[in-house]
Amino acid sequence: MREAERVSLGLAIVLLLAFISFNQLFAEDDTILYESFDKSFDGRWIVSEKEGYNGEWKHEKSEGHDDYGLLVSEPARKYAIVKELDELVSLKDGTIVLQFETRLQKGLECGGAYLKYLRPQEAGWVPKGFDNESPYSIMFGPDKCGTTNKVHFILKHKNPKSGEYVEHHLKFPPSVPHDKLTHVYTAILKPDNELQILVDGEEKKKANFLSSEDFEPPLIPAKTIPDPDDVKPEDWDERAKIPDPEAVKPDDWDEDAPMEIEDEDAVKPEGWLDDEPEEIDDPEATKPEDWDEEEDGEWEAPKTDNPKCQEGPGCGEWKRPMKRNPAYKGKWHAPLIDNPNYKGIWKPQEIPNPDYFELDQPEFEPIAAVGIEIWTMQDGILFDNILIAQDEKVASSIRDTTWKPKFDVEKEKEKATEAAVGTGALGGFQKKVFEILYQVAEISFLSEHKDKITELIEKAEKQPLITIGVLVSIVVVILTVFLKLIFGGKKATVEKKPEPVAETSNTEGSSEEKAEENEEPAPARKRQSRRET
């Protein structure tokens, strides 16, 4: 009995220590915000009351789990909800980790599932007024619509010279996972200007905030820009080739000769049915019982192909076929020669950029609130476990304890479903092929063609029978890019100064803009003529 008491006491001490350690982990200053949605969001998160934002947020369980989240409950709606932080979060001191889970329970064809980290708002702003105009510091998360398929990371940065806030988009961001499982997205901002994007704990992108190779437009503007007042001289000749001024059209050149002429050697095929029409009244057609000749006119049977024409060489009036005219030469043009006055493609001279500035570190605006503001054509999007922390270990621990168990269960269920379905749908082999194709789309030298490749893969997923055709298309794209890398083929281009994105503009390429384009009114129904029936 005493031995049993000792074991029970020891077990109680272990559990107590584990409980204390777990609480300390999340009680430390390293965790700034952690929202698990275990309890209702009412009172802690404020739903926007701005006009147009009529999507209903719900506190629901994730399908197949007892874990609750914040659910987008209706398709084709605008949604906005925000939580103000107790204190401003500085992004300038030390590491900051932004992390959250999302599950696209019904897939995602057109919509966003990203978070906005709002900077301090203007005086008089209230959470119920949150909308797409509410300025943010960072926008992060998945977005997919049309050719857009990316895990956004957008930084709004204030130009110290102009005072204007400019959107800086991460170049070549990761793609959105293409399944209906729970995924966790992590952005790690480090004091050495490094940015890491993780999907399910795996690094998918590493960038530097001050590198022009990683952000568009770059945070640090170019030192020089084309002079907007510089004008191309009137005598500047950009033509590399010109018509030979000494060339003369040959005397025998006939510009009026037609391209085709009748084939005089052609002979009408034997058995040609000159008196038979190509189409006849359909013998099986009958006048509808409700046909009213006063209202609808005289009924005429629809036409059908004449079967006699199909049995013989042809019907109707026979005409000689056309053939290419051997005398045809077309319009005469003088041959091209090198232009002796060619000066190359004109470019304005470079001048110092008045908006140029130098940075050692981005001038991040602090985070005052976290919001979700999306327009999506799908319902069933579930948000969960939203975290802002100062330590990567906190984010890793939450992934291991909250995301990983759910993901493993969902993955096993997916495998069982695929095994049960077998070859009736997307088989295991094809599933593996698509996983490899999505990895191919992430290869760096294919980054310019990533959207096109992803679009092809998605079409093949919906129509598994065209998988081989998609494979061939992607191989063609890869070979084309590879050959260009080897043999060059770059064209001379005029460099243009990147145009900054004004703060009042909507996010470029976001699903909100494309959902508006997709949600078109249904065309007016056209009355079919009875004669067409």
Side-chain angles (χ1 to χ4, degrees):
M1 179 65 71
R2 291 183 178 178
E3 183 65 25
E5 290 178 353
R6 286 197 208 96
V7 172
S8 299
L9 180 61
L11 181 59
I13 293 173
V14 170
L15 291 174
L16 179 62
L17 291 174
F19 177 77
I20 293 173
S21 300
F22 185 80
N23 280 345
Q24 285 181 343
L25 175 64
F26 295 104
E28 293 177 355
D29 292 338
D30 290 338
T31 302
I32 299 169
L33 168 70
Y34 178 59
E35 176 58 80
S36 65
F37 294 106
D38 289 338
K39 298 179 181 180
S40 174
F41 58 84
D42 291 339
R44 293 179 295 108
W45 289 74
I46 307 300
V47 177
S48 175
E49 295 181 357
K50 289 296 288 287
E51 183 180 357
Y53 290 88
N54 55 358
E56 182 182 0
W57 295 98
K58 290 186 177 181
H59 183 238
E60 295 281 352
K61 290 182 180 180
S62 179
E63 293 179 5
H65 304 290
D66 289 328
D67 187 40
Y68 283 88
L70 184 63
L71 179 69
V72 170
S73 65
E74 299 173 289
R77 293 285 189 273
K78 281 187 176 182
Y79 291 81
I81 191 170
V82 66
K83 176 179 176 59
E84 290 188 291
L85 304 182
D86 295 333
E87 296 181 359
L88 296 180
V89 178
S90 173
L91 300 177
K92 297 181 181 180
D93 304 321
T95 296
I96 289 292
V97 183
L98 310 175
Q99 180 171 285
F100 69 98
E101 294 176 18
T102 187
R103 184 181 183 188
L104 311 175
Q105 297 178 127
K106 295 184 179 180
L108 186 62
E109 293 181 5
C110 188
Y114 42 77
L115 268 60
K116 290 184 176 181
Y117 300 86
L118 308 185
R119 67 175 188 253
Q121 306 295 295
E122 296 180 357
W125 182 86
V126 293
K128 291 183 179 180
F130 176 46
D131 62 7
N132 66 319
E133 299 294 333
S134 302
Y136 61 85
S137 294
I138 290 172
M139 180 176 132
F140 171 54
D143 189 19
K144 182 178 177 183
C145 194
T147 57
T148 296
N149 184 340
K150 64 181 69 175
V151 179
H152 277 297
F153 187 93
I154 303 173
L155 170 66
K156 275 200 174 180
H157 188 264
K158 187 177 181 179
N159 185 312
K161 284 288 187 71
S162 66
E164 178 187 15
Y165 284 93
V166 178
E167 287 184 1
H168 300 277
H169 294 241
L170 178 66
K171 287 184 177 180
F172 314 125
S175 296
V176 180
H178 55 282
D179 52 40
K180 300 177 183 180
L181 310 180
T182 300
H183 295 282
V184 57
Y185 299 90
T186 310
I188 305 173
L189 290 69
K190 297 187 176 181
D192 61 355
N193 298 326
E194 183 180 278
L195 169 67
Q196 284 180 283
I197 303 294
L198 314 181
V199 179
D200 297 343
E202 180 181 349
E203 182 181 293
K204 295 293 186 179
K205 179 73 176 182
K206 181 181 287 186
N208 188 294
F209 282 109
L210 303 186
S211 171
S212 61
E213 299 297 320
D214 292 329
F215 281 87
E216 177 63 35
L219 269 71
I220 301 177
K223 288 186 177 181
T224 62
I225 60 171
D227 184 356
D229 298 324
D230 197 6
V231 179
K232 181 172 70 174
E234 293 183 0
D235 62 346
W236 191 280
D237 197 337
E238 294 182 326
R239 299 172 301 163
K241 299 279 187 178
I242 60 171
D244 185 354
E246 298 181 1
V248 179
K249 183 176 70 173
D251 294 336
D252 60 348
W253 191 286
D254 184 0
E255 292 185 329
D256 298 324
M259 183 183 294
E260 291 184 331
I261 58 174
E262 284 189 356
D263 185 357
E264 297 294 339
D265 296 329
V267 178
K268 182 168 66 174
E270 185 177 351
W272 187 274
L273 306 175
D274 298 87
D275 299 327
E276 286 289 340
E278 294 182 4
E279 290 185 334
I280 60 172
D281 291 344
D282 186 351
E284 298 180 1
T286 57
K287 182 170 68 173
E289 293 181 0
D290 62 344
W291 188 273
D292 187 337
E293 293 194 356
E294 291 185 2
E295 179 182 343
D296 301 318
E298 183 182 353
W299 181 80
E300 296 177 1
K303 297 293 184 180
T304 186
D305 291 336
N306 188 343
K308 293 181 179 180
C309 298
Q310 297 175 359
E311 296 169 0
C315 291
E317 181 185 358
W318 181 81
K319 294 180 180 179
R320 284 189 174 86
M322 304 296 287
K323 69 175 186 179
R324 183 173 179 80
N325 183 3
Y328 172 76
K329 294 185 178 180
K331 186 75 175 176
W332 181 84
H333 297 280
L336 297 178
I337 62 172
D338 291 335
N339 183 1
N341 297 320
Y342 175 65
K343 294 184 179 181
I345 303 299
W346 182 84
K347 293 181 181 180
Q349 63 179 347
E350 295 284 318
I351 61 172
N353 185 355
D355 292 331
Y356 174 75
F357 58 87
E358 294 185 356
L359 278 179
D360 294 327
Q361 187 181 28
E363 291 294 330
F364 292 111
E365 295 286 343
I367 298 174
V370 179
I372 305 173
E373 187 275 315
I374 58 176
W375 185 357
T376 177
M377 303 305 290
Q378 269 72 45
D379 58 343
I381 302 174
L382 192 81
F383 295 90
D384 200 4
N385 295 311
I386 298 174
L387 171 73
I388 301 178
Q390 295 175 314
D391 191 340
E392 298 175 51
K393 293 180 180 178
V394 176
S396 177
S397 176
I398 291 179
R399 287 197 301 269
D400 291 341
T401 57
T402 65
W403 166 76
K404 191 65 166 62
K406 288 188 293 188
F407 180 80
D408 289 343
V409 170
E410 294 163 9
K411 198 68 177 176
E412 287 301 317
K413 185 176 180 181
E414 183 184 56
K415 289 180 181 178
T417 301
E418 289 176 0
V421 172
T423 58
L426 192 61
F429 171 75
Q430 285 179 312
K431 183 73 173 177
K432 190 66 178 177
V433 168
F434 287 129
E435 289 177 358
I436 295 173
L437 290 178
Y438 275 106
Q439 293 175 7
V440 169
E442 298 290 343
I443 297 175
S444 57
F445 79 86
L446 294 174
S447 55
E448 293 183 6
H449 306 274
K450 176 181 173 182
D451 289 344
K452 183 63 177 177
I453 293 175
T454 303
E455 184 180 358
L456 286 171
I457 298 171
E458 290 171 350
K459 285 183 179 178
E461 281 188 297
K462 295 177 182 178
Q463 305 176 58
L465 295 179
I466 66 171
T467 301
I468 300 300
V470 169
L471 284 171
V472 173
S473 300
I474 293 176
V475 168
V476 170
V477 172
I478 294 174
L479 288 176
T480 302
V481 175
F482 187 68
L483 291 174
K484 283 186 177 180
L485 289 175
I486 295 177
F487 299 107
K490 296 182 179 180
K491 297 181 180 179
T493 57
V494 180
E495 296 183 2
K496 295 182 179 180
K497 178 185 177 184
E499 297 183 2
V501 182
E503 183 178 33
T504 55
S505 68
N506 221 345
T507 304
E508 180 183 352
S510 73
S511 64
E512 295 184 15
E513 180 178 324
K514 294 188 177 181
E516 284 192 54
E517 296 173 1
N518 288 351
E519 193 176 8
E520 298 177 353
R525 186 174 180 179
K526 182 180 178 183
R527 184 181 185 273
Q528 185 179 18
S529 169
R530 292 179 180 248
R531 293 180 179 272
E532 296 173 358
T533 59

